Amino acid sequence: MKTILVVEDNAGIREMVREYLAEHGYRVRVASNGVEGLLETRHHPPDLILLDVMMPGMDGLEFLRKYRADAGTPVMFLTARDAELDKVLGLELGADDYLTKPFSMAELLARIRALLRRAGEKPTGGPVRVGVLELDAASRTFVVRGQRVDLTRSEFELMDLFMRHPQRVFTRVELLEHLQEDSVGSERTMDVHVRNIRAKIEEEPGKPRLIETVFGVGYRLNPGGAP
């Protein structure tokens, strides 16, 4: 049975989600703010986290900053903040999905199943090396210039795709479909993912040489883009 942690300060929403997910076969644990949520993750590691943004004590953004430092469990934001900037910030911090309140419970369940399915997918490719980049899907490790680099789940899946198809140009839509991110699937979303990856692998992220922008189309990996 999969365990889902609901971090939500609104008791009504928290209980509604808990009951609904329990009825659909999940073990549900709850917390009313980020501090309680972090304690829960340490004592009862979840398979997925539903995270409110605006909470007293420690809000969802601060929770995610601290949690992402040492864990890769899928995280979905549940929030009334629907501005694109808020969604982008959540993705930049490593959220895997974003659902705006009010939401339907059926949609929430569908997205949870999609995230858990992605998280449980078995890697199919062996280790791959492209220039200064090394990726091993089986051990979920990624190395740049001999140094291990931590990637979020979405970033890892994108690099796996790029490295198995160097020089191929992928449109933003193709990349979003690869991540199954139809929920927040704007081109802006993919730009955020690529910017985050560049910050981790490029020597000069402002002048990227590995992940190239193909203007008007999308992105490609340039195997010779690093000395």
Side-chain angles (χ1 to χ4, degrees):
M1 179 182 292
K2 297 292 186 182
T3 298
I4 296 177
L5 172 61
V6 181
V7 186
E8 165 67 62
D9 67 324
N10 185 306
I13 295 176
R14 192 170 63 235
E15 185 60 17
M16 179 177 64
V17 172
R18 188 194 67 75
E19 289 184 359
Y20 186 82
L21 296 181
E23 290 173 358
H24 287 78
Y26 295 100
R27 181 186 299 108
V28 183
R29 303 194 66 85
V30 296
S32 61
N33 59 51
V35 175
E36 292 181 10
L38 285 176
L39 288 175
E40 277 289 333
T41 63
R42 291 166 186 161
H43 295 293
H44 307 280
D47 296 293
L48 184 145
I49 299 172
L50 301 178
L51 181 63
D52 188 18
V53 174
M54 294 179 289
M55 295 181 289
M58 179 189 293
D59 65 19
L61 298 177
E62 183 61 20
F63 171 95
L64 195 55
R65 288 189 185 93
K66 294 180 181 297
Y67 182 70
R68 278 295 187 230
D70 55 14
T73 299
V75 175
M76 183 194 306
F77 271 135
L78 302 177
T79 178
R81 298 168 66 168
D82 60 355
E84 183 182 57
L85 181 61
D86 293 321
K87 297 179 181 180
V88 169
L89 179 56
L91 293 169
E92 286 183 331
L93 290 174
D96 296 279
D97 201 355
Y98 197 110
L99 187 57
T100 303
K101 300 175 184 174
F103 51 83
S104 81
M105 299 304 287
E107 181 179 5
L108 174 64
L109 181 62
R111 294 193 184 199
I112 287 172
R113 287 172 172 166
L115 280 178
L116 289 174
R117 185 168 59 248
R118 283 173 52 195
E121 287 176 348
K122 302 296 183 184
T124 57
V128 58
R129 180 169 185 165
V130 178
V132 297
L133 309 175
E134 301 173 52
L135 181 146
D136 187 341
S139 61
R140 304 292 291 187
T141 55
F142 182 68
V143 174
V144 182
R145 301 178 188 85
Q147 300 295 316
R148 180 165 176 167
V149 173
D150 292 326
L151 300 178
T152 68
R153 187 177 308 280
S154 295
E155 292 165 1
F156 191 93
E157 291 178 9
L158 287 173
M159 286 310 303
D160 184 76
L161 181 65
F162 279 130
M163 291 177 66
R164 296 186 192 284
H165 305 279
Q167 291 289 13
R168 175 182 165 181
V169 179
F170 290 95
T171 68
R172 290 174 175 81
V173 172
E174 287 176 322
L175 296 172
L176 287 166
E177 289 176 347
H178 180 71
L179 296 180
Q180 303 176 40
E181 283 196 354
D182 55 344
S183 56
V184 286
S186 68
E187 292 189 354
R188 175 69 170 149
T189 298
M190 188 49 56
D191 293 341
V192 172
H193 284 314
V194 170
R195 185 169 68 240
N196 290 343
I197 292 173
R198 283 171 169 164
K200 296 179 179 180
I201 71 172
E202 300 279 0
E203 290 187 314
E204 294 184 79
K207 299 177 181 178
R209 300 174 64 181
L210 289 166
I211 304 294
E212 295 181 335
T213 299
V214 180
F215 291 102
V217 183
Y219 299 101
R220 71 180 168 205
L221 174 63
N222 177 11

